[in-house]
Amino acid sequence: MGLFRRLQVSRPENLAYSELFLQNEDLLPVPEEKRTWGVWNFIAFWVADSFNINTWMIASSMIQLGLSWWQAWICVWLGYGLVAPFIVANARPGAIFHVTFPVVARTSFGVWGSLWCVFNRGAMACIWYGVQASIGGSCVLVMLRAMWPSVNDLPNHLPASSGTTTRDFMCFFLFWLISLPAIWFPIHKIRHLFTLKAVVVPIAGITFFIWCIVKAHGVGPIIHQPATLHGSALGWGMISSIMSCISNMATLVTNAPDFASRSRHPSAALWPQLISVPLGFSIVSFFGIIVSSSSQAIYGEAVWSPIDLLGKFLDSDPSHATRFGVWFIAASFIIAQLGTNISANSISAGCDLTALLPRFINIRRGGYIAAIVGLVMLPWNLLKSSNQFTSYLSAYSVFLSSIAGVMITDYYVIHKGHYNVADLYHARKEGWYWYTFGINFRAYAAYIAGILINVVGFAGATGRTVPLAATRIYEMSFFTGFGVSALIYWSLSFLFPIRGSSNCATFEEVDVSGSAFEGAGVDGHDHKAEESEDADMDKKSIASQGVRSVRSHV
């Protein structure tokens, strides 16, 4: 029993039994002293997040599809420009009420219904953690080769059935190991990692960009390569490319409240994100296009992966200057992958797993669970055993877009910015978010409808033969999934009104519960005592004191 108690995380005292499953310190609204993310922190976050290997290579599939370089670059601008408002829109509740994604999801899916959405996002974050760590391991290999070339000839002592070699596993494990200290830091302090990344990695990227142009004596032939697609094929090729950029950000759209909950004021999570997302990702993809074009002039073929290209620089008896340059750039890409894994996967998994088992898991423990899953899942086997694996992970965004459609519609259209924050942390039937046994059937009907319209095309993305119409619908999966789920949710909420929505005649971002979040529980009372009639009367009295507006924080 003593060990059982020691395993429990810090949480408010005197909670009712059901509340043990709904709150701990990391699920409660973020206290003012931990709201440390300002304007420059959000800018640094997105500058840092955009500088990663996936972004560097994102235009490669577009050019290989048949687009010219400038058409591909326009698609990148449009894709990230279109997804930025969705990030800002879903981040808004977190910035206003300082709660994370799992808590925001309760407002639309219900206090218990939200757990399925949270589980989906958490499971994918754990899987992606392993995949991104595997890519980080390849960066470590190049960095070690630049320091000690003999690393490349390290004898293999692992069987073929392992799916990897001694050398590759060592590099993966080193990256996995150096990631562990970063998980320890709470969200309000991890912003310093993104600031470091926002300084170091762009310097490395610009250095790599200039180095390749000089080495190739120009920008290479891809810049002069015309499009091979024309007419409707070109149009659908551009739509597909735009949607690939949007789908690439679906996870960050969903978990946008996690970081916004730490913002000093709501505007810090508005314009910096709206501008930094398209600007940062477009610049990095441009670097990737030019560097790959230059590589074709150097080696006779386009090398889209910056890590593979750096490896080629080390293949032919490089000079000390070349080895140092490769070491610096590879080390910077290690920082880039580390930052991306923390922002997109570790913190997301931490927040989600916290909501699944708040009595024993907090954000820090959840991050370490994601790291362990990323190790034991043997990601190199998944990547090598199926060419469709990464396509499946990307295609999974259709499930996330339906969740986002419900959440954003609920906040802006149904409840119009009104929150009953106290009701987010209890399972009493009179609560706003109890719905039906804690589950909002309207949200789930909308969620399933958003998936169904894309499910046939999703099967096509994983290798099956499907009709062309289904493929076209799926190529716009984020908008079709988001749009259908939003429309169905609005319609069902109109036909079957949601508790609290009748009081929301105009859009106003307020907490109608009047909770202060001090003391033992969410509303500052001993919840066991609230079981008495007098305590119930006290709670009603507090709630009736008036609406506490949060507009003053904007």
Side-chain angles (χ1 to χ4, degrees):
M1 191 67 178
L3 176 62
F4 184 79
R5 287 183 178 276
R6 282 197 293 269
L7 288 175
Q8 296 182 47
V9 301
S10 177
R11 65 184 188 281
E13 298 295 331
N14 302 318
L15 296 178
Y17 183 74
S18 63
E19 291 169 340
L20 292 173
F21 296 93
L22 291 173
Q23 59 178 287
N24 62 23
E25 286 191 0
D26 282 345
L27 288 172
L28 292 175
V30 178
E32 189 170 357
E33 66 270 14
K34 293 183 179 180
R35 300 172 194 171
T36 57
W37 283 56
V39 170
W40 289 107
N41 295 121
F42 279 99
I43 292 174
F45 173 82
W46 285 112
V47 170
D49 195 73
S50 63
F51 270 90
N52 63 69
I53 293 173
N54 289 339
T55 307
W56 193 278
M57 297 173 59
I58 197 166
S60 64
S61 59
M62 304 178 192
I63 294 175
Q64 291 170 358
L65 185 66
L67 272 61
S68 66
W69 79 268
W70 62 268
Q71 290 169 340
W73 200 39
I74 287 175
C75 290
V76 172
W77 272 104
L78 290 174
Y80 288 102
L82 288 171
V83 80
F86 289 94
I87 294 173
V88 170
N90 207 33
R92 186 71 180 181
I96 292 291
F97 301 102
H98 303 286
V99 290
T100 56
F101 158 68
V103 179
V104 174
R106 294 174 186 176
T107 63
S108 50
F109 285 89
V111 289
W112 303 128
S114 63
L115 295 180
W116 171 250
C117 305
V118 171
F119 172 78
N120 270 263
R121 178 68 191 96
M124 291 308 298
C126 291
I127 294 173
W128 267 115
Y129 187 97
V131 172
Q132 292 289 356
S134 183
I135 297 173
S138 65
C139 301
V140 172
L141 174 59
V142 173
M143 186 188 73
L144 293 180
R145 282 186 62 195
M147 298 167 65
W148 303 292
S150 59
V151 167
N152 202 44
D153 302 319
L154 195 69
N156 179 36
H157 299 289
L158 295 176
S161 60
S162 67
T164 186
T165 64
T166 300
R167 181 199 67 183
D168 291 345
F169 178 76
M170 177 191 72
C171 294
F172 167 82
F173 187 75
L174 285 173
F175 180 85
W176 183 87
L177 202 61
I178 63 177
S179 301
L180 297 183
I183 298 175
W184 179 265
F185 293 97
I187 299 178
H188 66 282
K189 291 184 178 179
I190 198 63
R191 70 189 192 280
H192 300 307
L193 171 63
F194 303 125
T195 302
L196 172 66
K197 181 181 171 183
V199 174
V200 174
V201 181
I203 291 173
I206 293 170
T207 301
F208 196 20
F209 175 77
I210 296 173
W211 188 9
C212 289
I213 292 176
V214 172
K215 194 176 180 69
H217 305 290
V219 293
I222 290 179
I223 296 300
H224 307 290
Q225 179 179 302
T228 58
L229 294 178
H230 304 282
S232 63
L234 174 61
W236 280 107
M238 294 189 71
I239 290 174
S240 176
S241 298
I242 291 169
M243 294 309 303
S244 69
C245 297
I246 296 174
S247 298
N248 194 42
M249 298 291 285
T251 54
L252 289 166
V253 170
T254 308
N255 77 317
D258 293 342
F259 297 98
S261 65
R262 268 66 181 176
S263 62
R264 292 174 188 163
H265 44 83
S267 60
L270 176 58
W271 293 109
Q273 300 197 94
L274 202 60
I275 297 171
S276 299
V277 170
L279 187 62
F281 284 86
S282 299
I283 290 174
V284 174
S285 68
F286 178 74
F287 284 1
I289 293 170
I290 300 302
V291 168
S292 300
S293 181
S294 301
S295 72
Q296 185 166 336
I298 299 170
Y299 295 107
E301 61 176 349
V303 183
W304 289 100
S305 169
I307 296 303
D308 291 345
L309 183 56
L310 289 172
K312 281 183 172 292
F313 285 1
L314 297 175
D315 286 341
S316 54
D317 192 23
S319 64
H320 291 297
T322 297
R323 287 171 57 186
F324 175 77
V326 170
W327 174 87
F328 171 69
I329 296 170
S332 299
F333 274 117
I334 290 173
I335 298 174
Q337 285 302 115
L338 171 61
T340 299
N341 223 5
I342 295 296
S343 64
N345 302 315
S346 171
I347 290 176
S348 298
C351 292
D352 297 339
L353 295 176
T354 296
L356 295 177
L357 198 59
R359 194 170 182 179
F360 297 98
I361 300 177
N362 55 22
I363 294 175
R364 178 180 292 159
R365 291 183 182 182
Y368 283 115
I369 291 172
I372 293 170
V373 172
L375 175 63
V376 301
M377 65 179 266
L378 310 179
W380 52 86
N381 276 336
L382 292 175
L383 292 170
K384 291 179 180 179
S385 63
S386 173
N387 292 329
Q388 300 298 325
F389 180 69
T390 52
S391 297
Y392 170 76
L393 289 180
S394 298
Y396 196 82
S397 64
V398 65
F399 297 89
L400 300 180
S401 66
S402 297
I403 294 173
V406 172
M407 291 174 63
I408 291 176
T409 303
D410 183 85
Y411 185 74
Y412 291 95
V413 180
I414 305 303
H415 282 115
K416 296 183 175 67
H418 292 67
Y419 258 44
N420 192 318
V421 179
D423 284 352
L424 289 167
Y425 298 98
H426 69 72
R428 292 189 288 274
K429 292 182 180 180
E430 68 271 16
W432 272 24
Y433 312 115
W434 173 250
Y435 297 110
T436 305
F437 300 107
I439 301 171
N440 184 2
F441 75 89
R442 309 162 192 79
Y444 269 93
Y447 166 70
I448 293 170
I451 293 172
L452 288 178
I453 194 172
N454 288 302
V455 71
V456 178
F458 174 80
T462 57
R464 292 170 176 79
T465 302
V466 299
L468 179 61
T471 301
R472 296 305 190 206
I473 291 173
Y474 178 73
E475 285 175 344
M476 298 183 292
S477 60
F478 183 89
F479 290 117
T480 52
F482 183 97
V484 168
S485 63
L487 180 61
I488 296 297
Y489 185 65
W490 175 81
S491 301
L492 291 176
S493 298
F494 178 78
L495 295 173
F496 307 96
I498 288 175
R499 182 175 296 169
S501 62
S502 59
N503 300 326
C504 309
T506 59
F507 184 85
E508 186 178 13
E509 293 172 308
V510 295
D511 172 20
V512 301
S513 68
S515 300
F517 301 101
E518 296 173 353
V522 173
D523 50 13
H525 294 287
D526 185 319
H527 285 261
K528 289 184 177 179
E530 283 183 352
E531 294 175 1
S532 69
E533 183 178 353
D534 291 341
D536 284 337
M537 292 298 294
D538 289 341
K539 184 177 185 299
K540 291 177 183 178
S541 176
I542 289 175
S544 66
Q545 288 176 3
V547 173
R548 177 173 61 89
S549 176
V550 294
R551 280 184 170 180
S552 60
H553 296 292
V554 179

